[in-house]
């Protein structure tokens, strides 16, 4: 998947001095695409190797959401807050026009950027892979595996216990890089197990998880709270073309979430792949990047 991690760059927000860690990969003059990582995750999460990005003509920009990796925490942040950080990175890199893509927990944050009043005219295309829907969407828990259902439910019923559990999991990751993958494997479908059996992908996931919590579990905790509360995002304000992709067998964030998103976003096109699941979003990324850069259209896939 990805090349060895580079040293992060930082942008400091003038208003509060808070640092945002980011990095760029691929050709310097390639088409810029901002990738928003999953939950938990970091800028080091799975992405195509540099040689693939050069072939695609993509300048990929990844960053740590607040509290993850090397980015300073913002306690109490909502999903809409992501647009502030992406704006700061875009200004630092002098990006006039760019695309955004979010995977899993990064999907809602990518949509927040596309809906933001100061960004939406600069964003050319948007893609969300295996994204969650807002908490008020009907059937939010339908088809979700037991562990995710329990953790997401605790956000509203027992946030103190949720934080304790995430701290335990972060401690497990620090002790054993395979800890979280082992925990997730208990909830994986056969399709997910097949994807995660790839040794290179497993290494990248371990690296991302370890980096995500190296300064504490705060980004993970804040993500879960933000995803289950009001996003403060108006999905109807999105004007860029949106590709909403989901694996039909996903049990971490079931496809009903993407069906809802596609119904709320006037510019969205829904693609549900039968037989695929949550982690299939990772090998799907290069194909999505080609679409985001406008290199080629994507054929329609099966939809429910």
């Amino acid at each position: 998947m990805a090349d060895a991690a580079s040293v992060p760059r930082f942008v400091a927000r003038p208003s509060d001095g808070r640092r945002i860690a980011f990095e760029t990969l691929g050709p310097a003059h390639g088409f810029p695409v901002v990738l928003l990582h999953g939950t938990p995750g970091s800028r080091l999460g799975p992405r195509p190797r540099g040689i693939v990005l050069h072939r695609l003509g993509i300048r990929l920009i990844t960053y740590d959401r607040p509290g993850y990796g090397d980015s300073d925490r913002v306690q109490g942040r909502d999903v809409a807050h992501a647009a502030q950080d992406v704006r700061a990175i875009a200004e630092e890199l002098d990006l006039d026009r760019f695309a955004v893509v979010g995977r899993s927990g990064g999907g809602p944050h990518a949509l927040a950027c596309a809906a933001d009043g100061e960004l939406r005219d600069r964003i050319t295309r948007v893609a969300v892979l295996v994204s969650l829907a807002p908490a008020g969407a009907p059937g939010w828990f339908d088809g979700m595996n037991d562990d995710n259902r329990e953790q997401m439910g605790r956000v509203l019923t027992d946030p103190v216990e949720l934080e304790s559990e995430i701290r335990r999991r972060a401690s497990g990751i620090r002790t054993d890089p395979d800890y979280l993958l082992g925990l997730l494997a208990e909830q994986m479908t056969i399709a997910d197990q097949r994807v995660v059996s790839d040794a290179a992908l497993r290494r990248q996931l371990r690296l991302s998880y370890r980096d995500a919590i190296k300064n504490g579990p705060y980004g993970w905790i804040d993500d879960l709270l933000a995803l289950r509360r009001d996003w403060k995002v108006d999905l109807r304000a999105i004007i860029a073309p949106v590709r909403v992709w989901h694996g039909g067998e996903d049990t971490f964030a079931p496809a009903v979430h993407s069906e809802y998103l596609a119904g709320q976003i006037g510019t969205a096109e829904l693609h549900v792949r039968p037989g695929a699941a949550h982690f299939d979003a990772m090998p799907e990324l290069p194909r999505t990047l080609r679409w985001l850069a406008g290199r080629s259209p994507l054929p329609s896939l099966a939809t429910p």
Side-chain angles (χ1 to χ4, degrees), residues 27 39 213:
T39 302
I213 54 88

Side-chain angles (χ1 to χ4, degrees), residues 202-264:
R202 290 182 68 87
R203 284 195 300 272
Q204 198 61 29
L205 286 169
R206 287 196 297 264
L207 176 64
S208 179
Y209 295 154
R210 284 290 295 271
D211 193 70
I213 54 88
K214 68 181 182 181
N215 289 313
Y218 309 110
W220 193 354
I221 293 168
D222 295 341
D223 255 8
L224 294 177
L225 295 174
L227 289 167
R228 282 291 284 150
R229 294 174 178 169
D230 184 356
W231 290 4
K232 307 291 179 63
V233 174
D234 182 3
L235 297 174
R236 295 166 297 181
I238 297 173
I239 58 176
V242 180
R243 183 179 188 243
V244 182
W245 187 95
H246 223 108
E249 306 302 317
D250 193 340
T251 62
F252 288 91
V256 65
H257 288 254
S258 279
E259 294 168 16
Y260 177 85
L261 291 173
Q264 296 296 307

Side-chain angles (χ1 to χ4, degrees), residues 11 25-26 33 57 89 91 97 109 122 127 130 162 175 212 214 224 244 267 269 276 287 302-303:
V11 57
L25 305 96
V33 178
I89 294 168
E91 294 303 321
R97 302 275 282 171
H109 297 87
R122 300 168 65 180
V130 297
L162 171 70
T175 302
K214 68 181 182 181
L224 294 177
V244 182
T267 58
E269 187 172 312
R287 180 175 138 95
T303 57

Side-chain angles (χ1 to χ4, degrees), residues 10-280:
F10 293 93
V11 57
R13 287 177 48 80
S15 58
D16 54 16
R18 178 174 57 84
R19 298 195 314 166
I20 307 163
F22 71 97
E23 64 178 89
T24 64
L25 305 96
H29 299 291
F31 183 79
V33 178
V34 179
L35 170 63
L36 292 99
H37 62 74
T39 302
S42 74
R43 70 183 190 282
L44 306 182
R47 66 271 180 115
R49 292 178 61 85
I51 191 171
V52 176
L53 295 173
H54 277 269
R55 187 162 61 244
L56 292 172
I58 297 289
R59 183 188 187 191
L60 191 66
I61 300 145
T62 65
Y63 79 99
D64 298 330
R65 279 197 295 282
Y68 283 118
D70 293 297
S71 288
D72 295 334
R73 185 186 188 187
V74 177
Q75 194 165 3
R77 61 179 166 88
D78 49 39
V79 168
H81 181 273
Q84 297 182 30
D85 290 351
V86 171
R87 284 202 306 269
I89 294 168
E91 294 303 321
E92 177 73 12
L93 296 176
D94 196 25
L95 303 181
D96 180 37
R97 302 275 282 171
F98 59 96
V100 294
V101 55
R103 182 177 58 237
S104 190
H109 297 87
L111 294 173
C113 296
D116 180 71
E118 296 183 47
L119 279 181
R120 60 173 175 251
D121 290 331
R122 300 168 65 180
I123 292 177
T124 58
R125 290 186 176 187
V126 186
V128 289
L129 311 174
V130 297
S131 178
L132 290 165
W140 204 89
F141 286 108
D142 291 354
M144 188 176 288
N145 65 50
D146 291 342
D147 188 63
N148 263 26
R149 181 191 295 265
E150 182 177 352
Q151 297 308 315
M152 290 298 191
R154 281 177 175 168
V155 173
L156 301 180
T157 63
D158 196 347
V160 173
E161 174 54 30
L162 171 70
E163 181 169 341
S164 296
E165 175 60 23
I166 297 305
R167 288 182 180 277
R168 285 192 290 270
R169 295 187 181 199
S171 177
I173 294 170
R174 281 190 290 270
T175 302
D176 176 8
D178 280 315
Y179 171 80
L180 185 57
L181 279 173
L183 198 63
L184 295 176
E186 299 174 6
Q187 306 292 327
M188 287 183 187
T189 62
I190 293 174
D192 277 334
Q193 291 172 7
R194 181 179 64 249
V195 174
V196 177
S197 67
D198 180 82
L201 177 59
R202 290 182 68 87
R203 284 195 300 272
Q204 198 61 29
L205 286 169
R206 287 196 297 264
L207 176 64
S208 179
Y209 295 154
R210 284 290 295 271
D211 193 70
I213 54 88
K214 68 181 182 181
N215 289 313
Y218 309 110
W220 193 354
I221 293 168
D222 295 341
D223 255 8
L224 294 177
L225 295 174
L227 289 167
R228 282 291 284 150
R229 294 174 178 169
D230 184 356
W231 290 4
K232 307 291 179 63
V233 174
D234 182 3
L235 297 174
R236 295 166 297 181
I238 297 173
I239 58 176
V242 180
R243 183 179 188 243
V244 182
W245 187 95
H246 223 108
E249 306 302 317
D250 193 340
T251 62
F252 288 91
V256 65
H257 288 254
S258 279
E259 294 168 16
Y260 177 85
L261 291 173
Q264 296 296 307
I265 303 169
T267 58
E269 187 172 312
L270 175 65
H271 302 263
V272 178
R273 178 173 294 171
H278 195 72
F279 286 85
D280 281 285

